[in-house]
């Protein structure tokens, strides 16, 4: 479980979305001997190549995907909705996206399936200065609250938090603060701001002073990101997708076991990886978020496994909020048959 004590040494999860706008697809060619060729997988990301996805960026050095016969191509994006759009347009085979973007695409009738839970832990928070007196979600009524953008996970998770307190979006004033969303908080332009764990970390490093943090996971511990594919891919690319998930699982397990090595590689591979100490804390935060809320055989973490009850609660909450109109039965849109060991 993430705690405030881990925050002061990290950087914003969304803070480099606008950076490197000229990045195109990255072919991550691994080293070493490849397994029998499976094919190319184009992965649509929500971000540019940043340190928290070092397990993907390390492919040229570690060759996890090549070992499974997978030629990995990473398509940078600017948010989970962007990843879904790249998937639906046919530019990508897999989307690295958030549940909200997934639910909203399903609501529009898109035929999509989630196949791997990347970050089962909710990494979003609402942060305020202690002087504001905000200590619980109900205290947000009538307040100005900053979000990164109106299409971001910060807004979606803020609405989830408000819903848990019986509040509506109209009960607060949402202010779009952009990437540097803690500056308006410190300057008194907003009463609170929605952020991720790593966003909070960089704010604390810049000296926000005494703060109060409301973790959204304490109210709804829904996944932060997952791999999503089109239904037709399950029919035509099942073996390739299985190989992709095996490789990703291996890369995630490596980063969990070897965060120091990953922090060093991030200096070479990530656009925000110039400081190794910050890389290490970002990686540790993402490693913590990768651990499932349920355990696998003999108590070992079952990386990629879904907490179906939590995901269904999330879908129901999004409907109650009016963010989706149709009832989504997550059992119909999650396929765990491709998971390693399934």
């Amino acid at each position: 479980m993430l705690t405030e004590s881990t925050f002061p040494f990290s950087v914003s999860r969304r803070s480099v979305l606008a950076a490197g706008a000229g990045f195109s697809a990255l072919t991550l060619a691994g080293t070493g001997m490849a397994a029998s060729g499976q094919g190319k997988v184009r992965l649509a990301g929500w971000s540019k190549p940043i340190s928290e996805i070092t397990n993907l960026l390390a492919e040229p050095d570690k060759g996890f995907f090549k070992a499974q016969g997978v030629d990995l191509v990473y398509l940078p994006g600017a948010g989970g909705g962007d990843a879904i759009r790249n998937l639906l347009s046919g530019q990508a085979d897999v989307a690295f996206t958030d549940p909200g973007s997934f639910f909203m695409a399903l609501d529009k009738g898109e035929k999509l399936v989630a196949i791997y839970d990347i970050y089962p832990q909710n990494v979003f928070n609402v942060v305020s200065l202690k002087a504001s007196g905000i200590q619980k979600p109900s205290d947000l009524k009538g307040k100005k609250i900053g979000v990164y953008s109106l299409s971001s996970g910060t807004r979606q998770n803020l609405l989830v938090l408000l819903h848990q307190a019986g509040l509506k979006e109209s009960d607060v004033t949402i202010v779009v603060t952009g990437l540097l969303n803690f500056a308006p908080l410190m300057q008194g332009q907003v009463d609170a701001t929605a952020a991720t764990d790593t966003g909070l970390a960089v704010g604390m490093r810049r000296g926000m002073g005494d703060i109060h943090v409301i973790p959204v996971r304490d109210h709804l511990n829904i996944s932060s990101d997952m791999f999503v594919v089109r239904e037709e891919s399950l029919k035509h690319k099942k073996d390739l997708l299985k190989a992709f998930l095996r490789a990703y699982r291996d890369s995630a397990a490596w980063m969990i076991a070897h965060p120091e090595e990953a922090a060093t590689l991030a200096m070479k591979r990530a656009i925000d990886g110039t400081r190794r100490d910050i890389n290490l804390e970002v990686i540790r935060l993402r490693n913590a978020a990768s651990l499932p809320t349920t355990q696998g055989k003999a108590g070992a973490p079952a990386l990629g496994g879904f907490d179906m009850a939590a995901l269904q609660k999330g879908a129901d909450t999004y409907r109650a909020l009016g963010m989706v109109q149709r009832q989504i039965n997550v059992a119909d849109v999650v396929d765990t048959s491709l998971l390693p060991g399934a």
Side-chain angles (χ1 to χ4, degrees), residues 6 11 32 52 65 122 206 209 221 230 281 283 329:
T6 64
V11 294
E52 66 183 71
F65 291 87
N122 193 321
R206 291 176 178 172
N221 199 14
R230 288 166 291 174
E281 295 307 321
I283 286 165
N329 181 5

Side-chain angles (χ1 to χ4, degrees), residues 242 245-246 249 297 303 336-342:
K242 280 186 175 182
L245 292 186
R246 285 195 300 270
R249 185 271 319 271
K297 296 179 181 179
L303 293 177
T336 60
S337 67
L338 305 186
L339 289 172

Side-chain angles (χ1 to χ4, degrees), residues 60-101:
D61 309 282
K62 306 302 294 186
F64 295 113
F65 291 87
K66 188 174 182 179
Q68 297 294 335
V70 175
D71 178 13
L72 178 64
V73 176
Y74 183 75
L75 303 172
D82 207 22
I84 290 286
R85 284 189 291 273
N86 280 330
L87 178 68
L88 294 174
S89 70
Q91 296 182 65
D93 306 296
V94 181
F96 189 137
T97 192
D98 60 277
S101 296

Side-chain angles (χ1 to χ4, degrees), residues 212-232:
H212 185 79
V213 181
I214 305 176
V216 180
R217 68 172 178 271
D218 289 351
H219 301 268
L220 181 65
N221 199 14
I222 188 175
S223 166
S224 295
D225 288 293
M226 57 184 62
F227 286 136
V228 172
V229 299
R230 288 166 291 174
E231 276 188 4
E232 62 187 49

Side-chain angles (χ1 to χ4, degrees), residues 14 17 78-82 85 98 100-101 104 147-157 174 176 323:
R14 310 289 173 178
L17 279 176
D82 207 22
R85 284 189 291 273
D98 60 277
S101 296
M104 286 184 274
V147 298
Y148 162 60
S149 76
L150 294 180
S151 60
S152 69
T154 53
R155 174 176 173 266
Q156 293 173 12
N157 278 273
I174 291 182
V176 176
M323 296 172 74

